[in-house]
Amino acid sequence: MTAPHRARSAQPALDRVDRRILDHLADHGRESLADLAEAVSISASSAQRRLRRLENEKVVRGYRAVLDPDAVDRGLVVHLTATLVDHTANTVGRFERHIVDLAGLVSCHHVTGDVDYLLRVDVADVEALDVLLRRTLARVPGVARFTTMVATSGLVDRVTRI
């Protein structure tokens, strides 16, 4: 479940204008090309050409809607750590196959330190969390321990910025 990483040398060269375009898109992904061009002080044709190149080079990998978590029954943000019983390919593979389709999963990272994985799961409420823990996560093979941390407030939750 590890995210693919590009080698340093394979990363596209981004100039100051490209970075301004990307920064603007992070907050205003649905704006017209004319508005984007005006915001970064370039012509619409230049903005279109640069944006197309950034999309083709997979610097811009897509566009998403930001949903109201409460409106879609995902108002409770939960961070979990998972510690596996061992680190064999079989155990890691089974864990990742089970976790990837977990309802409400926002992110899952293989991490360094005392735990093996850090997950973010958004659920409706404490009752939904209880169901997730008892009926779903308790059945994930190869896990020695899950630790759960419920977010009581959100300070920053942003998309990748440059």
Side-chain angles (χ1 to χ4, degrees), residues 102-118:
L102 186 65
L105 181 68
V106 175
S107 63
C108 179
H109 301 276
H110 192 217
V111 296
T112 61
D114 294 335
V115 300
D116 298 310
Y117 289 87
L118 176 63

Side-chain angles (χ1 to χ4, degrees):
M1 192 159 165
T2 54
H5 293 283
R6 288 188 287 213
R8 269 285 197 226
S9 60
Q11 290 181 339
L14 302 176
D15 65 17
R16 184 179 53 81
V17 175
D18 289 338
R19 291 180 182 279
R20 287 178 43 210
I21 288 172
L22 294 170
D23 190 49
H24 189 78
L25 283 175
D27 287 328
H28 309 283
R30 290 192 61 171
E31 273 191 348
S32 70
L33 277 171
D35 290 338
L36 172 63
E38 182 178 340
V40 298
S41 303
I42 60 176
S43 70
S45 62
S46 179
Q48 181 179 32
R49 187 173 54 256
R50 285 174 175 267
L51 183 55
R52 188 174 298 130
R53 179 180 54 79
L54 292 167
E55 290 169 344
N56 289 339
E57 292 176 349
K58 304 294 187 219
V59 176
V60 175
R61 296 189 301 182
Y63 300 90
R64 297 185 175 114
V66 178
L67 307 176
D68 176 352
D70 293 318
V72 294
D73 287 332
R74 297 284 188 242
L76 186 66
V77 175
V78 182
H79 296 275
L80 298 108
T81 63
T83 304
L84 303 183
V85 294
D86 60 53
H87 298 101
T88 64
N90 185 42
T91 300
V92 169
R94 285 186 312 163
F95 173 80
E96 291 182 355
R97 281 190 299 279
H98 277 77
I99 291 299
V100 72
D101 293 324
L102 186 65
L105 181 68
V106 175
S107 63
C108 179
H109 301 276
H110 192 217
V111 296
T112 61
D114 294 335
V115 300
D116 298 310
Y117 289 87
L118 176 63
L119 295 79
R120 175 180 167 179
V121 180
D122 292 355
V123 295
D125 50 33
V126 174
E127 290 80 16
L129 174 59
D130 187 58
V131 169
L132 175 73
L133 293 172
R134 291 176 188 260
R135 293 190 189 157
T136 305
L137 294 179
R139 296 182 179 151
V140 175
V143 176
R145 177 178 68 256
F146 276 110
T147 303
T148 308
M149 296 157 282
V150 175
T152 57
S153 67
L155 179 61
V156 176
D157 191 6
R158 61 172 64 129
V159 296
T160 300
R161 301 298 298 254
I162 59 169

